[in-house]
Amino acid sequence: MNRVRILQSLYDFGPLSRAELARVTGLSRSALTVIVEELVRQGLLTQEAARPSSPAGGKPARPLWFAPDSPPLIGVHLLPGRVEAALVSAGGKVLTKAERLFSAEPDAKAAVEALVSATAEVAGAASTTPLGVGVAVGGMVDSDTGTVVKVALAPELDGLPVGRTLQDRLSMDLVCVDMHPRAQALGDRWFGQGRGRSHFASVYTGEALGVGLVLGGDVHRGPAGAGGEVGHSIVQVDGEPCHCGQRGCWETLASHSWLRAQAANRGLPGATTLGAGALSRLAAARVPDAAELLGEWADNLAVGLVNLHQVFAPGLFILHGDTVAGGEELRSRIERALHSRIPPHPGGPPQVAFTALEDQATLLGAAGLVLSRHFNTPGPTPPRHTPPEERTRHAMP
Ligand SMILES: [Zn+2]
């Protein structure tokens, strides 16, 4: 945990001297020195050139920062029909990117080749062996085994052992696989507005809704990554049927399919492909019914945030995906709707913000999976990804 505090402080404040690090982390100088020496020995941190001493005198400080040749990270995003991969410096800069498209084949062979080839391409650009690979998947994942459980829009990926495949094909030891909103939350935590915060929620909006919750400084997963299906929390008893088989899920009221169906009912132009940007423009142009629909959608989005706030009080909701294109008008409507539906909380009213990471949030977040696993292993983590049936067998008395 102390290593994490030191690294997080460097991400938060930039290069810091030992004295400054001791002050912002609250660690004793001796505890700090032991950890810093180890990080320097591992090649992750380096002492930069001395800063001139302050007018008050004293020794010139030599700030610590990530070494230029410190092991980089690899972030991968596996989507239906597409793989994106990025080589990310330890300091959080995207160094190079690769992309592969693949066709849906029942045996997922094309998907595996695309995954391996995109990851290998960015790994090949690294001058030092990468620390590990983080993979964000747009669906449910068993984060213990690194296996895809279910991707609604790409069923050929169901059951794909992503972690084991990359370990075997690329000889990578550390491969972390997680669902996209949780990776995105780690992107916010390590590299975005979540820096320096121990609680916040990272919310993906668009065709589907997903939430990654950071509580007490770590992303919440539940056993084997089973938690986090917030899009399927039920907000309307006996509401519209959802593709998951239930009725009245948050997604049925707040995703694109709801928005587009409503826009079509109201005869708005471009209803079949409508998104937040176009709807905001229609509302600004005073097209009849557009502002009402924008308000209703903001309220439906807020309902899910209200439930999250009542249970976890994350204090900050960082929105990603399509709603960002809706601009300040949509953001402030969501925030007002959220405030109107919750009683006063001791921590003050929660904030709603748009991500500052733009389209790099998921790749940075996938890289953040590696950082979190490498520096902060809460609970036992299997050293290699084992198939679920083996895990069960080992767990038997
Ligand atoms: Zn559902």
Side-chain angles (χ1 to χ4, degrees):
M1 283 313 286
N2 288 340
R3 284 204 299 181
V4 174
R5 271 155 79 184
I6 290 170
L7 293 171
Q8 184 77 63
S9 300
L10 291 174
Y11 285 115
D12 291 350
F13 299 105
L16 295 174
S17 70
R18 283 156 202 254
E20 289 164 334
L21 261 178
R23 200 160 55 238
V24 298
T25 58
L27 292 169
S28 71
R29 279 299 289 268
S30 55
L32 184 100
T33 300
V34 171
I35 299 167
V36 163
E37 289 313 317
E38 195 196 331
L39 292 169
V40 169
R41 204 167 42 245
Q42 288 176 350
L44 187 68
L45 298 185
T46 187
Q47 287 201 312
E48 297 200 316
R51 279 186 207 143
S53 54
S54 70
K59 260 196 338 198
R62 295 191 61 196
L64 290 151
W65 187 237
F66 295 93
D69 57 349
S70 69
L73 314 158
I74 295 176
V76 179
H77 190 189
L78 175 59
L79 305 106
R82 191 155 63 94
V83 178
E84 289 174 354
L87 185 70
V88 178
S89 75
K93 197 167 149 227
V94 172
L95 302 170
T96 181
K97 284 211 257 190
E99 187 186 23
R100 298 286 186 280
L101 304 177
F102 60 86
S103 53
E105 294 168 11
D107 61 358
K109 213 171 153 201
V112 167
E113 289 316 311
L115 177 71
V116 170
S117 142
T119 311
E121 183 182 322
V122 297
S127 51
T128 337
T129 308
L131 197 60
V133 183
V135 186
V137 181
M140 198 193 281
V141 166
D142 182 328
S143 54
D144 284 358
T145 63
T147 303
V148 176
V149 176
K150 189 173 169 52
V151 177
L153 297 173
E156 77 275 10
L157 299 178
D158 296 356
L160 190 68
V162 170
R164 209 151 31 94
T165 302
L166 289 179
Q167 281 176 332
D168 294 346
R169 295 277 300 269
L170 300 177
S171 304
M172 290 281 180
D173 282 336
L174 181 60
V175 181
C176 316
V177 188
D178 216 330
M179 69 191 291
H180 157 240
R182 276 201 289 263
Q184 179 192 276
L186 288 175
D188 290 326
R189 183 222 192 281
W190 287 104
F191 309 114
Q193 291 116 303
R195 290 190 296 197
R197 293 187 68 102
S198 54
H199 292 70
F200 67 90
S202 182
V203 183
Y204 181 79
T205 59
E207 308 280 344
L209 296 172
V211 176
L213 268 174
V214 170
L215 302 171
D218 198 21
V219 72
H220 178 74
R221 289 192 171 84
E229 293 291 334
V230 182
H232 300 286
S233 58
I234 294 168
V235 296
Q236 194 177 31
V237 173
D238 295 331
E240 293 296 312
C242 179
H243 63 83
C244 72
Q246 299 296 324
R247 281 178 171 271
C249 298
W250 185 30
E251 264 189 34
T252 65
L253 285 175
S255 67
H256 273 163
S257 47
W258 178 87
L259 181 70
R260 289 166 184 172
Q262 292 294 318
N265 282 346
R266 294 165 204 220
L268 290 177
T272 50
T273 55
L274 193 71
L279 180 59
S280 286
R281 283 192 293 278
L282 293 177
R286 300 181 186 278
V287 171
D289 288 343
E292 288 72 18
L293 180 58
L294 189 68
E296 223 176 294
W297 189 36
D299 196 42
N300 289 359
L301 282 161
V303 164
L305 308 187
V306 167
N307 292 341
L308 282 169
H309 199 72
Q310 294 283 31
V311 180
F312 299 106
L316 172 66
F317 294 94
I318 303 170
L319 304 188
H320 294 252
D322 180 56
T323 49
V324 177
E328 176 55 22
E329 175 67 18
L330 180 57
R331 189 208 65 79
S332 60
R333 279 177 184 263
I334 295 170
E335 194 173 68
R336 284 201 304 273
L338 168 63
H339 291 175
S340 74
R341 286 177 177 271
I342 50 171
H345 277 245
Q351 293 170 277
V352 174
F354 286 145
T355 178
L357 297 177
E358 296 176 356
D359 57 344
Q360 298 200 323
T362 303
L363 286 172
L364 287 173
L369 285 169
V370 179
L371 279 180
S372 288
R373 182 73 65 89
H374 186 74
F375 293 112
N376 179 18
T377 44
T381 303
R384 297 267 307 171
H385 292 303
T386 45
E389 61 275 17
E390 261 178 60
R391 262 193 322 146
T392 320
R393 202 167 60 230
H394 289 159
M396 298 292 266

